[in-house]
Amino acid sequence: MSSAKADSVVPYIATWSEEHWDEHPRVVERPDGSGIAYPDEILADRDQRGVLWDRATSRPGHGKPQFARIHPLRQRRAMRKLLCQTCGNPADNTCHGVLWVLRDTGQPLTEHLLVSEPPICLPCARLSAKLCPALRKGHILLRAESFRLFGVDGLRYRTGHPAPVPIDHHVVSFTDPAIRWTLADKLVREIGDYTILTR
């Protein structure tokens, strides 16, 4: 578990002030018009599905924690490998499903939920409920038996001249053609077959 000081917990997915990425990255339209790309793109800029991701340096523990800003690479790793968003170790996973803690917005829950928050382990769930300001306002602890990778959350672009034009930040599924025009910063799972433990 990372910590800026011995007495303060910094979530694994949080950004540190010495980690940088361009707030307004330069993207170009691909020559065949099929989406966006970096003009100096390298293999590491895309995931195995061909999705273009925000570039970010990785220096956890350096500088000051930026709790409100999620690091795209660590968020993606935690979601893909089902790691705890707080400590980075495996999330709590039993025969009843994987553990998630979500902010309670007061809205009714649907049968399937799209989440960009990685799962959590039981000790960190208790700790997060006490320390995280957003969760202190209300949270839902649940176990999900289904949690398929759904898509990404990111900035969508449209064709434009001289460069593609950003439109909005949105969640897009892997099967949506718009994903080729999206610069991803979070991996999204669809969770279902869940049981609410506390609310």
Side-chain angles (χ1 to χ4, degrees), residues 79-137:
M79 283 294 262
R80 193 168 40 85
K81 294 181 172 286
L82 295 174
L83 302 179
C84 173
Q85 62 176 279
T86 302
C87 68
N89 292 316
D92 196 73
N93 190 354
T94 72
C95 61
H96 301 293
V98 175
L99 191 67
W100 256 271
V101 62
L102 308 173
R103 285 181 296 153
D104 189 352
T105 63
Q107 300 297 316
L109 297 181
T110 57
E111 184 179 349
H112 296 277
L113 305 172
L114 296 180
V115 298
S116 61
E117 299 90 344
I120 200 160
C121 69
L122 198 53
C124 287
R126 295 186 183 114
L127 189 63
S128 297
K130 292 178 183 176
L131 298 181
C132 175
L135 295 179
R136 281 202 306 261
K137 294 177 184 176

Side-chain angles (χ1 to χ4, degrees), residues 29 158-165 181:
E29 188 168 337
R158 65 169 172 80
T159 189
H161 297 286
V165 178
W181 291 89

Side-chain angles (χ1 to χ4, degrees), residues 52-72:
L52 188 66
W53 280 81
D54 262 349
R55 287 173 167 171
T57 60
S58 183
R59 299 194 73 207
H62 291 81
K64 296 180 180 178
Q66 312 291 305
F67 293 100
R69 191 168 190 189
I70 304 304
H71 193 276

Side-chain angles (χ1 to χ4, degrees), residues 140-151:
I140 301 167
L141 192 66
L142 58 81
R143 256 186 213 288
E145 292 189 51
S146 72
F147 36 84
R148 74 180 182 99
L149 288 171
F150 175 83

Side-chain angles (χ1 to χ4, degrees), residues 28-58:
V28 296
E29 188 168 337
R30 299 180 88 167
D32 62 1
S34 64
I36 56 171
Y38 289 125
D40 58 345
E41 191 170 310
I42 60 173
L43 189 60
D45 289 327
R46 293 185 186 269
D47 62 21
Q48 63 271 24
R49 298 175 188 259
V51 179
L52 188 66
W53 280 81
D54 262 349
R55 287 173 167 171
T57 60
S58 183

